[in-house]
């Protein structure tokens, strides 16, 4: 029975990947809005019903791989080591993905992956859904954090989740900007790692005096504005 289940699961994974690949090729060739789910089903040699058995929507034919990573942040926190803080666990998991050139953190420079990301950026309905998945990931993380603390700290769970996910999002966008500018993943890795490390340091240590103006800078600025 275990072998039969394993075979069934492998077949499901293969079918899902076939649908993603087929849909992506059609969308990239003709544009997302110009291709119907029925056309994807025909090209993949399955029924339209089969497509919706594997995908909840047309958007998931592009964003399915992203959807599979929604629980990554919550999982990293849930599986943290004894004595390891939430921030340390999240940081360790994220930095490992970054150094592995993982597409989920925007570190893949494979031409196909970049074309898919550009398609998402240029298609409003896909961009909205992608942002929704980011929000869901943050909510799952907040729920995991709330379940792992007690007392007043429970109310801070959404704040901590927002801070951690913001680091992930900002570094992800930083990576994509440089990749789209023509740099390779290998070239941008040092800068991405440095940015992530500094960002996590801020989260771990608190913002503190970040951005504090030097003594007298505020009055000098005001004086300059008055002179104008």
């Amino acid at each position: 029975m275990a072998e039969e289940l394993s075979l069934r699961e492998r077949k499901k994974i293969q079918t899902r990947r076939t649908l993603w690949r087929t849909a992506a090729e059609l969308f990239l060739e003709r544009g997302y809005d110009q291709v119907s789910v029925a056309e994807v089903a025909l090209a993949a040699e399955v029924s339209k019903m089969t497509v919706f058995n594997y995908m909840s929507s047309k958007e998931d034919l592009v964003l399915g791989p992203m959807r599979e990573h929604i629980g990554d942040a919550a999982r990293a926190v849930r599986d943290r080591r004894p004595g390891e803080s939430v921030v340390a666990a999240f940081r360790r998991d994220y930095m490992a993905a970054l150094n592995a050139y993982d597409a989920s953190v925007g570190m893949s420079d494979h031409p196909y992956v970049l074309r898919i990301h550009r398609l998402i950026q240029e298609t409003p309905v896909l961009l909205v859904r992608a942002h929704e998945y980011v929000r869901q990931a943050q909510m799952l993380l907040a729920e995991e954090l709330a379940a792992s603390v007690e007392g007043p700290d429970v109310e801070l769970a959404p704040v901590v989740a927002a801070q951690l996910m913001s680091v992930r999002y900002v570094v992800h966008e930083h990576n994509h900007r440089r990749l789209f500018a023509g740099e390779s993943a290998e070239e941008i890795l040092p800068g991405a790692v440095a940015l992530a490390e500094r960002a996590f340091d801020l989260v771990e240590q608190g913002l503190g005096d970040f951005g504090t103006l030097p003594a007298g800078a505020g009055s000098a600025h005001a004086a300059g504005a008055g002179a104008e």
Side-chain angles (χ1 to χ4, degrees):
M1 177 65 72
E3 290 181 359
E4 181 182 348
L5 180 61
S6 177
L7 178 61
R8 187 182 307 121
E9 289 303 315
R10 287 200 300 271
K11 185 175 180 180
K12 286 182 179 180
I13 291 172
Q14 183 58 47
T15 300
R16 189 176 293 112
R17 288 176 176 172
T18 297
L19 289 173
W20 284 336
R21 184 171 58 252
T22 303
E25 289 173 355
L26 289 173
F27 295 151
L28 290 172
E29 178 185 351
R30 294 162 49 191
Y32 177 80
D33 293 326
Q34 281 64 54
V35 179
S36 68
V37 173
E39 289 174 306
V40 172
L42 181 63
E45 299 182 341
V46 298
S47 68
K48 184 176 178 180
M49 182 178 294
T50 296
V51 174
F52 284 116
N53 283 339
Y54 284 87
M55 310 290 168
S56 62
S57 66
K58 180 182 175 182
E59 292 89 338
D60 280 347
L61 284 166
V62 178
L63 298 169
M66 180 180 179
R67 185 179 184 181
E68 291 195 341
H69 288 282
I70 286 177
D72 284 0
R75 173 191 49 74
V77 169
R78 183 171 58 252
D79 296 343
R80 64 189 181 278
R81 300 163 180 168
E84 186 176 38
S85 73
V86 163
V87 178
F90 186 100
R91 181 177 190 160
R92 175 171 54 81
D93 183 79
Y94 181 81
M95 298 307 295
L98 204 60
N99 282 289
Y101 297 98
D102 198 307
S104 69
V105 294
M107 276 301 297
S108 175
D109 57 6
H110 191 287
Y112 176 80
V113 174
L114 292 179
R115 289 178 68 200
I116 291 295
H117 280 300
R118 193 175 294 279
L119 174 68
I120 294 170
Q121 293 295 319
E122 295 174 350
T123 309
V125 66
L126 293 177
L127 194 57
V128 169
R129 180 59 65 90
H131 287 162
E132 172 61 19
Y133 285 164
V134 172
R135 188 186 71 84
Q136 289 180 24
Q138 183 172 314
M139 289 177 61
L140 288 175
L141 177 58
E143 291 171 3
E144 186 62 42
L145 293 172
S148 66
V149 296
E150 298 178 350
D153 284 350
V154 172
E155 296 180 349
L156 288 175
V159 177
V160 176
Q163 289 180 318
L164 290 172
M165 291 302 293
S166 290
V167 173
R168 188 182 185 100
Y169 178 79
V170 169
V171 178
H172 190 284
E173 291 301 296
H174 166 269
N175 296 342
H176 274 166
R177 282 195 299 272
R178 295 186 62 181
L179 288 173
F180 287 146
E183 296 182 74
S184 69
E186 186 176 0
E187 288 173 325
I188 73 172
L189 180 62
V193 167
L195 175 60
E197 295 285 11
R198 290 172 60 200
F200 281 122
D201 284 345
L202 277 178
V203 174
E204 284 188 319
Q205 299 167 13
L207 294 179
D209 60 358
F210 175 81
T212 301
L213 293 172
S219 58
H221 175 74
E228 293 177 0

